[in-house]
Amino acid sequence: MKNFSKETEPPIERKSLVKAFAASLSGTSLEWYDFAVYGACAALVFGHLFFPDGDSLAGTLKAFGTYAVGYISRPLGGIFFGRLGDIVGRKKVLVWTLLLIGIATFIIGLLPTFASVGYLAPILLVLLRFAQGVGVGGEWGGAVLLSSEFSKPEQRGFWASAAQVGPPLGNLMANGVLAILAFFLTTAQFNDWGWRIAFLLSALLVVFGLWVRFSLEETPVFKKLEEKNERSNAPVSEVFKYESRALFGGILARIGPDVLYACFTVFVLAYATQYLGMPRSDAIASVTIASGIQVLFIPFSGWLSDRIERRVIYAVGAVLATIWTFVFFYMMEEPTFVRLFIGVTGALICHSLMYGPQAALIAEQFSARLRYTGSSLAYTFAGIVGGAIAPLLLAWFISFDKSGFAICLYIGIACVLTLIGLAMTRKSHES
């Protein structure tokens, strides 16, 4: 097997590192703002707006089905944009992915509903969701490399966590916008047109993200690959040929946190409102506040993984997540806002212990010349078996098991797969 793991680290300028952190954060925040808005609307309104059939559960399942499309299309983006990222550079590709995600999201805010154009409405929604997923498939791997390749190896956990802060920050912004809309609008107004505002506001994030990325230089690591003419001409095939263990280890490591996050940021909205009868405002507020706490906890977990071996921090999060899910459903036997908030917050802290070190851990598994492709493929393939089907399975499980025991087992199995993936990865700082 060829060994491309070692490379001399170019000198790093602090200003460039901070800009890279901002560029990484802005893109993934937009990505997850879009996904969080869609996930919330899928749980709350899309069922009857785009998939009406008189059955609220069936409508929600269909809406979550289009949520899954955004994950299923990710590998196409990972393959296409990941390959380009290892050939033409990280910066150029990340401009393209940001535009694709932002434009697709903005257009969703303009879509006619089923009542206006019939079946054309869900078809257009699925196509735009597919486009979102393609863009996201190429976004994460590059965003991770922007910050990690500008940082020193011994600080990679903290700086690479910029890409990981994007999900809770995007979720915080999305649910904050939805909470404001829910406060000022009646339910009828929100269902009629208010939800569109959340999608249209994504244009502001796109403009900011493009401004940051256009002002950023290419990463020092990719510049060095160009200077030495060491770029790969076939990165996808080389990843499978030379670095397949790293790829499958990264895929498995991501499944647990993907399922956990889908449960406690997307599914929990439908669970609290439809099955527990709680107010929509309580459900959104719980996820919003918990996401705000997670914005701080993820970089802390990344920083901690620079001092304690990343796989240890990650494994502790997986074990605690399994235990906490049982605690959550036990608490929700008597549903209150305080219990819901504590339950969601505890779950997202467990998620942070896995998610904070994740970017650096996965990037470190691949050689520099294959790192964009390898990281993107690990991210996107895990999304199919993790985040894509999770809301569908969670909604199905709760339909026949109101106790939540089946969901607890599901998350436990996902976390066991994560532990197996961690065992396949190599120690931090080895590349």
Side-chain angles (χ1 to χ4, degrees), residues 14-50:
R14 183 79 175 183
K15 182 179 179 181
S16 296
L17 183 55
V18 173
K19 287 173 68 175
F21 187 95
S24 177
L25 179 61
S26 62
T28 53
S29 295
L30 169 65
E31 166 197 340
W32 281 94
Y33 173 86
D34 297 346
F35 264 63
V37 166
Y38 188 95
C41 288
L44 300 173
V45 298
F46 277 1
H48 68 269
L49 288 178
F50 290 92

mmCIF file of all heavy atoms in Angstrom, residues 14-50:
data_model
loop_
_atom_site.group_PDB
_atom_site.id
_atom_site.type_symbol
_atom_site.label_atom_id
_atom_site.label_comp_id
_atom_site.label_asym_id
_atom_site.label_seq_id
_atom_site.Cartn_x
_atom_site.Cartn_y
_atom_site.Cartn_z
ATOM 1 N N ARG A 14 -1.704 33.249 11.709
ATOM 2 C CA ARG A 14 -2.874 33.273 12.578
ATOM 3 C C ARG A 14 -4.085 33.904 11.872
ATOM 4 O O ARG A 14 -5.207 33.416 11.980
ATOM 5 C CB ARG A 14 -2.528 34.081 13.838
ATOM 6 C CG ARG A 14 -3.652 34.135 14.867
ATOM 7 C CD ARG A 14 -3.697 32.870 15.661
ATOM 8 N NE ARG A 14 -4.691 32.948 16.724
ATOM 9 C CZ ARG A 14 -4.893 31.988 17.612
ATOM 10 N NH1 ARG A 14 -4.162 30.888 17.568
ATOM 11 N NH2 ARG A 14 -5.805 32.107 18.550
ATOM 12 N N LYS A 15 -3.848 34.966 11.116
ATOM 13 C CA LYS A 15 -4.941 35.645 10.420
ATOM 14 C C LYS A 15 -5.620 34.707 9.429
ATOM 15 O O LYS A 15 -6.850 34.656 9.332
ATOM 16 C CB LYS A 15 -4.404 36.886 9.701
ATOM 17 C CG LYS A 15 -5.485 37.692 8.985
ATOM 18 C CD LYS A 15 -4.883 38.926 8.327
ATOM 19 C CE LYS A 15 -5.963 39.727 7.596
ATOM 20 N NZ LYS A 15 -5.382 40.920 6.924
ATOM 21 N N SER A 16 -4.825 33.949 8.688
ATOM 22 C CA SER A 16 -5.381 33.005 7.721
ATOM 23 C C SER A 16 -6.153 31.898 8.424
ATOM 24 O O SER A 16 -7.197 31.434 7.937
ATOM 25 C CB SER A 16 -4.263 32.393 6.876
ATOM 26 O OG SER A 16 -3.624 33.377 6.092
ATOM 27 N N LEU A 17 -5.667 31.478 9.587
ATOM 28 C CA LEU A 17 -6.328 30.430 10.343
ATOM 29 C C LEU A 17 -7.705 30.885 10.824
ATOM 30 O O LEU A 17 -8.695 30.143 10.730
ATOM 31 C CB LEU A 17 -5.459 30.026 11.530
ATOM 32 C CG LEU A 17 -5.951 28.881 12.417
ATOM 33 C CD1 LEU A 17 -6.224 27.637 11.597
ATOM 34 C CD2 LEU A 17 -4.928 28.586 13.508
ATOM 35 N N VAL A 18 -7.783 32.110 11.316
ATOM 36 C CA VAL A 18 -9.064 32.652 11.789
ATOM 37 C C VAL A 18 -10.044 32.802 10.627
ATOM 38 O O VAL A 18 -11.233 32.480 10.739
ATOM 39 C CB VAL A 18 -8.850 33.999 12.501
ATOM 40 C CG1 VAL A 18 -10.187 34.650 12.831
ATOM 41 C CG2 VAL A 18 -8.037 33.802 13.777
ATOM 42 N N LYS A 19 -9.556 33.280 9.480
ATOM 43 C CA LYS A 19 -10.413 33.413 8.302
ATOM 44 C C LYS A 19 -10.904 32.052 7.820
ATOM 45 O O LYS A 19 -12.053 31.906 7.410
ATOM 46 C CB LYS A 19 -9.658 34.134 7.178
ATOM 47 C CG LYS A 19 -9.469 35.627 7.426
ATOM 48 C CD LYS A 19 -8.578 36.245 6.369
ATOM 49 C CE LYS A 19 -9.227 36.258 5.018
ATOM 50 N NZ LYS A 19 -8.402 36.968 4.009
ATOM 51 N N ALA A 20 -10.018 31.056 7.885
ATOM 52 C CA ALA A 20 -10.416 29.708 7.485
ATOM 53 C C ALA A 20 -11.493 29.162 8.419
ATOM 54 O O ALA A 20 -12.442 28.502 7.985
ATOM 55 C CB ALA A 20 -9.203 28.787 7.486
ATOM 56 N N PHE A 21 -11.346 29.445 9.719
ATOM 57 C CA PHE A 21 -12.338 29.023 10.700
ATOM 58 C C PHE A 21 -13.695 29.646 10.364
ATOM 59 O O PHE A 21 -14.728 28.970 10.363
ATOM 60 C CB PHE A 21 -11.887 29.446 12.100
ATOM 61 C CG PHE A 21 -12.739 28.918 13.219
ATOM 62 C CD1 PHE A 21 -12.388 27.746 13.873
ATOM 63 C CD2 PHE A 21 -13.874 29.590 13.636
ATOM 64 C CE1 PHE A 21 -13.167 27.251 14.917
ATOM 65 C CE2 PHE A 21 -14.655 29.113 14.673
ATOM 66 C CZ PHE A 21 -14.300 27.930 15.317
ATOM 67 N N ALA A 22 -13.686 30.947 10.037
ATOM 68 C CA ALA A 22 -14.929 31.651 9.703
ATOM 69 C C ALA A 22 -15.537 31.123 8.415
ATOM 70 O O ALA A 22 -16.762 30.963 8.302
ATOM 71 C CB ALA A 22 -14.659 33.151 9.579
ATOM 72 N N ALA A 23 -14.698 30.832 7.429
ATOM 73 C CA ALA A 23 -15.191 30.317 6.155
ATOM 74 C C ALA A 23 -15.811 28.941 6.319
ATOM 75 O O ALA A 23 -16.857 28.625 5.737
ATOM 76 C CB ALA A 23 -14.047 30.261 5.143
ATOM 77 N N SER A 24 -15.168 28.115 7.121
ATOM 78 C CA SER A 24 -15.693 26.777 7.393
ATOM 79 C C SER A 24 -17.007 26.853 8.158
ATOM 80 O O SER A 24 -17.986 26.174 7.830
ATOM 81 C CB SER A 24 -14.658 25.988 8.195
ATOM 82 O OG SER A 24 -15.142 24.715 8.534
ATOM 83 N N LEU A 25 -17.038 27.701 9.164
ATOM 84 C CA LEU A 25 -18.224 27.850 10.002
ATOM 85 C C LEU A 25 -19.406 28.394 9.214
ATOM 86 O O LEU A 25 -20.535 27.913 9.344
ATOM 87 C CB LEU A 25 -17.912 28.768 11.184
ATOM 88 C CG LEU A 25 -19.053 29.065 12.151
ATOM 89 C CD1 LEU A 25 -19.565 27.793 12.791
ATOM 90 C CD2 LEU A 25 -18.588 30.046 13.226
ATOM 91 N N SER A 26 -19.174 29.396 8.367
ATOM 92 C CA SER A 26 -20.275 30.022 7.639
ATOM 93 C C SER A 26 -20.939 29.054 6.680
ATOM 94 O O SER A 26 -22.170 29.019 6.553
ATOM 95 C CB SER A 26 -19.772 31.258 6.880
ATOM 96 O OG SER A 26 -18.796 30.904 5.914
ATOM 97 N N GLY A 27 -20.132 28.240 5.985
ATOM 98 C CA GLY A 27 -20.701 27.305 5.024
ATOM 99 C C GLY A 27 -21.512 26.207 5.677
ATOM 100 O O GLY A 27 -22.628 25.904 5.248
ATOM 101 N N THR A 28 -20.971 25.597 6.718
ATOM 102 C CA THR A 28 -21.703 24.521 7.379
ATOM 103 C C THR A 28 -22.905 25.061 8.163
ATOM 104 O O THR A 28 -23.896 24.350 8.335
ATOM 105 C CB THR A 28 -20.790 23.720 8.317
ATOM 106 O OG1 THR A 28 -20.128 24.606 9.219
ATOM 107 C CG2 THR A 28 -19.762 22.938 7.530
ATOM 108 N N SER A 29 -22.834 26.308 8.611
ATOM 109 C CA SER A 29 -23.995 26.913 9.276
ATOM 110 C C SER A 29 -25.141 27.072 8.285
ATOM 111 O O SER A 29 -26.302 26.788 8.618
ATOM 112 C CB SER A 29 -23.631 28.278 9.865
ATOM 113 O OG SER A 29 -22.683 28.154 10.895
ATOM 114 N N LEU A 30 -24.816 27.525 7.066
ATOM 115 C CA LEU A 30 -25.845 27.634 6.035
ATOM 116 C C LEU A 30 -26.411 26.260 5.712
ATOM 117 O O LEU A 30 -27.634 26.082 5.630
ATOM 118 C CB LEU A 30 -25.264 28.250 4.756
ATOM 119 C CG LEU A 30 -26.174 28.169 3.522
ATOM 120 C CD1 LEU A 30 -27.426 28.997 3.729
ATOM 121 C CD2 LEU A 30 -25.436 28.617 2.262
ATOM 122 N N GLU A 31 -25.514 25.291 5.552
ATOM 123 C CA GLU A 31 -25.934 23.921 5.241
ATOM 124 C C GLU A 31 -26.938 23.416 6.262
ATOM 125 O O GLU A 31 -28.004 22.887 5.919
ATOM 126 C CB GLU A 31 -24.696 23.015 5.222
ATOM 127 C CG GLU A 31 -25.000 21.535 5.252
ATOM 128 C CD GLU A 31 -23.779 20.714 5.653
ATOM 129 O OE1 GLU A 31 -22.646 21.215 5.543
ATOM 130 O OE2 GLU A 31 -23.979 19.575 6.092
ATOM 131 N N TRP A 32 -26.627 23.599 7.540
ATOM 132 C CA TRP A 32 -27.493 23.059 8.575
ATOM 133 C C TRP A 32 -28.645 23.978 8.920
ATOM 134 O O TRP A 32 -29.662 23.525 9.463
ATOM 135 C CB TRP A 32 -26.672 22.685 9.803
ATOM 136 C CG TRP A 32 -25.990 21.384 9.571
ATOM 137 C CD1 TRP A 32 -24.722 21.167 9.098
ATOM 138 C CD2 TRP A 32 -26.566 20.093 9.724
ATOM 139 N NE1 TRP A 32 -24.480 19.829 8.970
ATOM 140 C CE2 TRP A 32 -25.594 19.143 9.349
ATOM 141 C CE3 TRP A 32 -27.812 19.639 10.154
ATOM 142 C CZ2 TRP A 32 -25.825 17.778 9.377
ATOM 143 C CZ3 TRP A 32 -28.048 18.272 10.199
ATOM 144 C CH2 TRP A 32 -27.061 17.361 9.813
ATOM 145 N N TYR A 33 -28.531 25.253 8.622
ATOM 146 C CA TYR A 33 -29.709 26.120 8.707
ATOM 147 C C TYR A 33 -30.756 25.598 7.737
ATOM 148 O O TYR A 33 -31.935 25.443 8.081
ATOM 149 C CB TYR A 33 -29.339 27.559 8.365
ATOM 150 C CG TYR A 33 -30.535 28.487 8.268
ATOM 151 C CD1 TYR A 33 -31.049 29.108 9.393
ATOM 152 C CD2 TYR A 33 -31.163 28.719 7.046
ATOM 153 C CE1 TYR A 33 -32.167 29.941 9.314
ATOM 154 C CE2 TYR A 33 -32.270 29.551 6.950
ATOM 155 C CZ TYR A 33 -32.769 30.158 8.088
ATOM 156 O OH TYR A 33 -33.873 30.977 7.998
ATOM 157 N N ASP A 34 -30.313 25.327 6.501
ATOM 158 C CA ASP A 34 -31.226 24.815 5.481
ATOM 159 C C ASP A 34 -31.846 23.493 5.907
ATOM 160 O O ASP A 34 -33.057 23.285 5.809
ATOM 161 C CB ASP A 34 -30.477 24.615 4.161
ATOM 162 C CG ASP A 34 -29.948 25.928 3.597
ATOM 163 O OD1 ASP A 34 -30.387 26.987 4.080
ATOM 164 O OD2 ASP A 34 -29.102 25.886 2.695
ATOM 165 N N PHE A 35 -30.993 22.575 6.385
ATOM 166 C CA PHE A 35 -31.493 21.262 6.767
ATOM 167 C C PHE A 35 -32.390 21.347 7.993
ATOM 168 O O PHE A 35 -33.370 20.616 8.103
ATOM 169 C CB PHE A 35 -30.317 20.315 7.014
ATOM 170 C CG PHE A 35 -29.984 19.474 5.805
ATOM 171 C CD1 PHE A 35 -29.559 20.072 4.632
ATOM 172 C CD2 PHE A 35 -30.114 18.100 5.838
ATOM 173 C CE1 PHE A 35 -29.260 19.312 3.520
ATOM 174 C CE2 PHE A 35 -29.822 17.329 4.724
ATOM 175 C CZ PHE A 35 -29.394 17.941 3.561
ATOM 176 N N ALA A 36 -32.059 22.231 8.944
ATOM 177 C CA ALA A 36 -32.874 22.352 10.152
ATOM 178 C C ALA A 36 -34.231 22.968 9.832
ATOM 179 O O ALA A 36 -35.262 22.533 10.361
ATOM 180 C CB ALA A 36 -32.143 23.196 11.193
ATOM 181 N N VAL A 37 -34.243 23.979 8.978
ATOM 182 C CA VAL A 37 -35.512 24.577 8.565
ATOM 183 C C VAL A 37 -36.367 23.539 7.858
ATOM 184 O O VAL A 37 -37.570 23.404 8.117
ATOM 185 C CB VAL A 37 -35.270 25.802 7.653
ATOM 186 C CG1 VAL A 37 -36.556 26.209 6.943
ATOM 187 C CG2 VAL A 37 -34.746 26.971 8.471
ATOM 188 N N TYR A 38 -35.738 22.796 6.971
ATOM 189 C CA TYR A 38 -36.496 21.772 6.256
ATOM 190 C C TYR A 38 -36.985 20.692 7.222
ATOM 191 O O TYR A 38 -38.145 20.271 7.161
ATOM 192 C CB TYR A 38 -35.658 21.121 5.157
ATOM 193 C CG TYR A 38 -36.503 20.215 4.299
ATOM 194 C CD1 TYR A 38 -37.056 20.661 3.112
ATOM 195 C CD2 TYR A 38 -36.830 18.929 4.733
ATOM 196 C CE1 TYR A 38 -37.883 19.850 2.367
ATOM 197 C CE2 TYR A 38 -37.662 18.114 4.003
ATOM 198 C CZ TYR A 38 -38.184 18.578 2.810
ATOM 199 O OH TYR A 38 -39.022 17.773 2.092
ATOM 200 N N GLY A 39 -36.100 20.229 8.115
ATOM 201 C CA GLY A 39 -36.493 19.192 9.057
ATOM 202 C C GLY A 39 -37.637 19.628 9.955
ATOM 203 O O GLY A 39 -38.580 18.866 10.198
ATOM 204 N N ALA A 40 -37.572 20.884 10.427
ATOM 205 C CA ALA A 40 -38.639 21.398 11.282
ATOM 206 C C ALA A 40 -39.948 21.511 10.512
ATOM 207 O O ALA A 40 -41.014 21.128 11.010
ATOM 208 C CB ALA A 40 -38.235 22.749 11.861
ATOM 209 N N CYS A 41 -39.863 22.029 9.290
ATOM 210 C CA CYS A 41 -41.072 22.182 8.481
ATOM 211 C C CYS A 41 -41.628 20.826 8.056
ATOM 212 O O CYS A 41 -42.842 20.658 7.921
ATOM 213 C CB CYS A 41 -40.783 23.054 7.256
ATOM 214 S SG CYS A 41 -40.560 24.805 7.655
ATOM 215 N N ALA A 42 -40.738 19.849 7.843
ATOM 216 C CA ALA A 42 -41.206 18.496 7.531
ATOM 217 C C ALA A 42 -41.986 17.924 8.701
ATOM 218 O O ALA A 42 -43.001 17.227 8.521
ATOM 219 C CB ALA A 42 -40.024 17.600 7.192
ATOM 220 N N ALA A 43 -41.532 18.219 9.912
ATOM 221 C CA ALA A 43 -42.203 17.716 11.108
ATOM 222 C C ALA A 43 -43.496 18.469 11.398
ATOM 223 O O ALA A 43 -44.456 17.898 11.928
ATOM 224 C CB ALA A 43 -41.267 17.814 12.312
ATOM 225 N N LEU A 44 -43.547 19.761 11.042
ATOM 226 C CA LEU A 44 -44.651 20.618 11.482
ATOM 227 C C LEU A 44 -45.686 20.935 10.408
ATOM 228 O O LEU A 44 -46.880 20.958 10.697
ATOM 229 C CB LEU A 44 -44.087 21.932 12.032
ATOM 230 C CG LEU A 44 -43.142 21.806 13.233
ATOM 231 C CD1 LEU A 44 -42.530 23.162 13.570
ATOM 232 C CD2 LEU A 44 -43.869 21.225 14.437
ATOM 233 N N VAL A 45 -45.278 21.202 9.152
ATOM 234 C CA VAL A 45 -46.240 21.698 8.162
ATOM 235 C C VAL A 45 -46.186 21.032 6.790
ATOM 236 O O VAL A 45 -47.186 21.026 6.068
ATOM 237 C CB VAL A 45 -46.083 23.230 7.955
ATOM 238 C CG1 VAL A 45 -46.363 23.983 9.233
ATOM 239 C CG2 VAL A 45 -44.707 23.574 7.417
ATOM 240 N N PHE A 46 -45.052 20.479 6.381
ATOM 241 C CA PHE A 46 -44.942 19.975 5.015
ATOM 242 C C PHE A 46 -45.875 18.800 4.734
ATOM 243 O O PHE A 46 -46.274 18.580 3.597
ATOM 244 C CB PHE A 46 -43.503 19.571 4.707
ATOM 245 C CG PHE A 46 -42.626 20.725 4.294
ATOM 246 C CD1 PHE A 46 -43.121 22.016 4.242
ATOM 247 C CD2 PHE A 46 -41.301 20.507 3.965
ATOM 248 C CE1 PHE A 46 -42.320 23.081 3.878
ATOM 249 C CE2 PHE A 46 -40.476 21.559 3.588
ATOM 250 C CZ PHE A 46 -40.993 22.858 3.543
ATOM 251 N N GLY A 47 -46.210 18.023 5.768
ATOM 252 C CA GLY A 47 -47.067 16.868 5.569
ATOM 253 C C GLY A 47 -48.374 17.220 4.906
ATOM 254 O O GLY A 47 -48.786 16.590 3.928
ATOM 255 N N HIS A 48 -49.043 18.260 5.402
ATOM 256 C CA HIS A 48 -50.339 18.620 4.827
ATOM 257 C C HIS A 48 -50.243 19.633 3.694
ATOM 258 O O HIS A 48 -51.176 19.793 2.925
ATOM 259 C CB HIS A 48 -51.293 19.138 5.918
ATOM 260 C CG HIS A 48 -50.891 20.451 6.516
ATOM 261 N ND1 HIS A 48 -50.083 20.552 7.627
ATOM 262 C CD2 HIS A 48 -51.191 21.728 6.161
ATOM 263 C CE1 HIS A 48 -49.905 21.827 7.941
ATOM 264 N NE2 HIS A 48 -50.548 22.562 7.059
ATOM 265 N N LEU A 49 -49.096 20.329 3.565
ATOM 266 C CA LEU A 49 -48.941 21.291 2.480
ATOM 267 C C LEU A 49 -48.551 20.631 1.160
ATOM 268 O O LEU A 49 -48.993 21.049 0.094
ATOM 269 C CB LEU A 49 -47.884 22.342 2.838
ATOM 270 C CG LEU A 49 -48.251 23.371 3.903
ATOM 271 C CD1 LEU A 49 -47.073 24.299 4.167
ATOM 272 C CD2 LEU A 49 -49.470 24.174 3.477
ATOM 273 N N PHE A 50 -47.722 19.593 1.233
ATOM 274 C CA PHE A 50 -47.206 18.966 0.022
ATOM 275 C C PHE A 50 -47.642 17.507 -0.152
ATOM 276 O O PHE A 50 -47.578 16.977 -1.253
ATOM 277 C CB PHE A 50 -45.672 19.031 0.009
ATOM 278 C CG PHE A 50 -45.132 20.408 -0.200
ATOM 279 C CD1 PHE A 50 -44.830 21.226 0.873
ATOM 280 C CD2 PHE A 50 -44.939 20.922 -1.483
ATOM 281 C CE1 PHE A 50 -44.341 22.509 0.687
ATOM 282 C CE2 PHE A 50 -44.455 22.197 -1.682
ATOM 283 C CZ PHE A 50 -44.156 22.995 -0.596
#
